[in-house]
Amino acid sequence: MSVDKTAPVTPEDPSTVGNPEAAAAAVTAVDPRLLVREQGLAGYLGEFRRKLKAGELGSMPVVIGLIAICVIFQSLNSQFLSAQNLSDITVTMVGTGMISVGIVFVLLLGEIDLSVGSVSGASSAIAAVLAVNQGWPEWAAVLIAVVAGAAIGAAHGFFFAVLGAPAFAVTLAGLLFWLGFMLKILGENGTINLDSDGLIGKLTTYFFADVAAAYGLAVVVVAVFFLISFLGNRRREAVGIPSRPLSDTLMRTALLAVISFAAAAMYNQYKGLPLATLIFLVFLIGTDFLLRRTSYGRKVFALGGSVEASRRAGIDVTAIRISVFAISGGFAAIGGLFLASKIASANQSAGTGDLLMNAIAAAVIGGTSLFGGRGRTWNALLGVLVIVSIQYGLQLESIAEPVKYMITAAVLLTTVVIDSITRKTQKTAGRA
């Protein structure tokens, strides 16, 4: 027996019984992708207009902004889109991007973690002290540093979730405490140089020079994406749930293939595929799977939507909150190790300056809502790409540091305003 794919996928609404027009409207509201399948290009345009009116912009503004940044800086300096500059951007972004991934988890709860900069610095200092001063194997020092970062985050989560202290105040205190802790363990010299050929040093200096590495990764990414999308659609069709048409899947796969192979070609024109970028992509894929494909991720989104509703649904609110701050601390530690690798040392300036601002700004600019309940870890990638691209573009033009801060602030403010307008639009459309 064939399955009617145009049938409503929700329980029948009594208001639509005997009313074909209302029933048709209900179907469209439940699954607007049916329009795409039936109407082709016209369906895509209609769906785009519907999302625009409903305030469902997603990552579209930041993608458009990133394209505009590339066009502007390339017109000012032809070296901006060179293989070397783009490769440097994608390596430099990893440290801040890792920290921003942890921030995404916290923002999904509608909270904030102001300690991530200091935690990243303290963790890199722990790794340096153990590996250099104490003679530990670097892999063990790295493991202890990451565990320490996660434990610090869990401690912050305990004060917030169990004792009821505001996350803002707890993590602000953490910012000061772990900064002092970092300065203390670094000692009077204030700097511990790392072995540039060691594990930490190679995090940002190692490249897979063989051209097969970058192209092979592109093939794997495209193939896995297509298989997951195709098999997922087949499973949905098997149980009568509307799914994306094959043409939609093929179009998305083709777009991903263009981006992936263009990136691979760019890397192979310089030194090859950077280890740092590869590790970052692995973490992004893993955390995206955790948030979108597991019960834990659904609990995080639910908690960001409504704490009381989550509690009544049987979700352990305290455990989720503590775990989210532990994840934030763990990613702060990982980011700190990449930042230390970039300068081959742990010093007193680690975790200070504009690091905290950039990590939070990257998550928000990428599309994660400050109000909780909406965002993806891929937002960290988009946001940090925007920030680092602006920094490199202005550096090529020898723009003064104060101007860099002002431009980054303007981008952040624009993003927050768009987020606020989007939420108001969604409320007006009845989708918030």
Side-chain angles (χ1 to χ4, degrees):
M1 182 177 66
S2 62
V3 178
D4 182 5
K5 300 176 184 177
T6 62
V9 296
T10 56
E12 188 175 73
D13 186 347
S15 64
T16 65
V17 176
N19 189 339
E21 294 181 358
V27 172
T28 301
V30 169
D31 189 24
R33 286 175 298 185
L34 293 175
L35 291 175
V36 176
R37 180 168 54 190
E38 298 297 333
Q39 301 177 19
L41 179 59
Y44 278 106
L45 293 175
E47 176 69 355
F48 174 77
R49 287 193 294 267
R50 184 193 67 80
K51 287 185 176 182
L52 195 62
K53 291 179 180 179
E56 300 174 23
L57 301 178
S59 299
M60 181 177 62
V62 68
V63 171
I64 295 174
L66 189 58
I67 293 173
I69 289 170
C70 292
V71 171
I72 292 172
F73 284 121
Q74 179 65 14
S75 65
L76 294 175
N77 192 314
S78 60
Q79 292 300 309
F80 181 79
L81 292 181
S82 67
Q84 179 179 349
N85 193 59
L86 292 178
S87 180
D88 289 343
I89 287 175
T90 58
V91 172
T92 301
M93 74 179 185
V94 174
T96 304
M98 285 289 191
I99 300 174
S100 186
V101 169
I103 288 291
V104 168
F105 278 81
V106 177
L107 290 178
L108 287 175
L109 297 185
E111 302 295 340
I112 194 68
D113 187 349
L114 300 178
S115 68
V116 289
S118 295
V119 173
S120 71
S123 299
S124 64
I126 291 173
V129 168
L130 293 178
V132 179
N133 294 358
Q134 303 299 323
W136 284 39
E138 278 201 70
W139 67 266
V142 167
L143 179 61
I144 293 299
V146 174
V147 171
I152 291 170
H156 295 163
F158 174 82
F159 283 104
F160 165 60
V162 178
L163 302 183
F168 178 89
V170 171
T171 56
L172 179 59
L175 181 155
L176 298 173
F177 182 88
W178 299 114
L179 176 60
F181 175 82
M182 177 189 70
L183 298 177
K184 178 68 176 177
I185 66 173
L186 285 176
E188 294 182 358
N189 187 33
T191 300
I192 299 177
N193 294 322
L194 298 167
D195 181 6
S196 58
D197 293 325
L199 175 61
I200 299 176
K202 287 186 176 180
L203 287 175
T204 56
T205 59
Y206 185 82
F207 292 77
F208 296 94
D210 193 333
V211 295
Y215 286 122
L217 177 63
V219 170
V220 170
V221 168
V222 173
V224 170
F225 175 82
F226 174 77
L227 287 175
I228 291 176
S229 300
F230 179 75
L231 295 177
N233 289 337
R234 291 289 298 271
R235 286 195 298 269
R236 293 173 68 87
E237 290 177 355
V239 295
I241 301 176
S243 61
R244 295 186 185 280
L246 180 60
S247 59
D248 191 347
T249 301
L250 291 175
M251 183 181 68
R252 290 169 178 265
T253 304
L255 178 60
L256 178 61
V258 170
I259 295 174
S260 300
F261 282 96
M266 178 270 295
Y267 285 131
N268 285 332
Q269 289 179 24
Y270 184 47
K271 293 181 178 180
L273 176 66
L275 174 63
T277 306
L278 176 60
I279 295 174
F280 190 32
L281 288 176
V282 170
F283 273 106
L284 285 173
I285 293 172
T287 51
D288 183 67
F289 179 86
L290 177 66
L291 282 176
R292 298 200 304 124
R293 302 292 183 179
T294 67
S295 60
Y296 175 81
R298 288 189 287 272
K299 291 175 182 177
V300 172
F301 279 106
L303 192 55
S306 173
V307 175
E308 186 58 32
S310 299
R311 185 178 288 110
R312 293 186 179 186
I315 295 176
D316 190 339
V317 173
T318 300
I320 296 297
R321 282 175 164 173
I322 293 176
S323 67
V324 164
F325 276 89
I327 290 173
S328 178
F331 272 99
I334 296 172
L337 293 173
F338 277 92
L339 293 171
S341 173
K342 190 68 178 174
I343 59 175
S345 68
N347 58 40
Q348 294 178 339
S349 65
T352 60
D354 59 357
L355 177 60
L356 172 63
M357 178 200 73
N358 285 340
I360 297 176
V364 176
I365 289 172
T368 304
S369 176
L370 283 168
F371 303 98
R374 190 178 78 247
R376 296 179 62 181
T377 51
W378 289 101
N379 297 148
L381 170 63
L382 291 173
V384 76
L385 265 177
V386 168
I387 291 175
V388 177
S389 296
I390 291 174
Q391 292 174 345
Y392 268 69
L394 295 176
Q395 185 175 328
L396 286 175
E397 293 302 306
S398 301
I399 303 297
E401 195 69 22
V403 179
K404 295 181 183 179
Y405 282 114
M406 290 188 286
I407 292 178
T408 304
V411 173
L412 176 59
L413 178 61
T414 301
T415 306
V416 173
V417 170
I418 291 175
D419 183 36
S420 300
I421 295 174
T422 296
R423 288 183 64 85
K424 291 181 179 179
T425 304
Q426 289 178 337
K427 288 182 179 180
T428 302
R431 300 184 64 86

